[in-house]
Amino acid sequence: MRFFYCQVVVHINGEKKEIRAGLTVAQLLGELGIRPGRVVVELNRDVLSRETHGSTTLKEGDQIEIVHFVGGG
């Protein structure tokens, strides 16, 4: 049995990327290998709280900015 996944096109940090339809922000971060505690996610110019990552579903044309915290001193 074959499974076919619908794809949607989003923009992640300015780059066009195809992702599975119905993916949440939390799932996207997981697929990208990004630990959610070290980033801020902006969706269509609105900053998302971490609590909403698991319930926010990405849609065709969404603009996602992922900003990493970098320590230093």
Side-chain angles (χ1 to χ4, degrees):
M1 182 177 204
R2 284 187 166 171
F3 291 98
F4 294 96
Y5 294 101
C6 292
Q7 302 284 311
V8 295
V9 177
V10 298
H11 296 267
I12 301 173
N13 292 349
E15 292 185 28
K16 211 183 258 192
K17 183 168 177 72
E18 283 189 8
I19 62 169
R20 270 186 300 121
L23 209 62
T24 66
V25 171
Q27 291 168 325
L28 174 66
L29 293 176
E31 289 191 6
L32 295 174
I34 297 172
R35 294 184 3 205
R38 300 248 181 225
V39 296
V40 170
V41 178
E42 185 180 283
L43 177 61
N44 300 323
R45 299 187 178 220
D46 291 321
V47 175
L48 295 179
S49 68
R50 284 190 187 94
E51 294 80 27
T52 63
H53 288 185
S55 61
T56 303
T57 304
L58 298 169
K59 300 177 292 306
E60 180 77 28
D62 277 344
Q63 304 281 329
I64 303 127
E65 293 292 326
I66 302 170
V67 180
H68 295 264
F69 290 111
V70 179

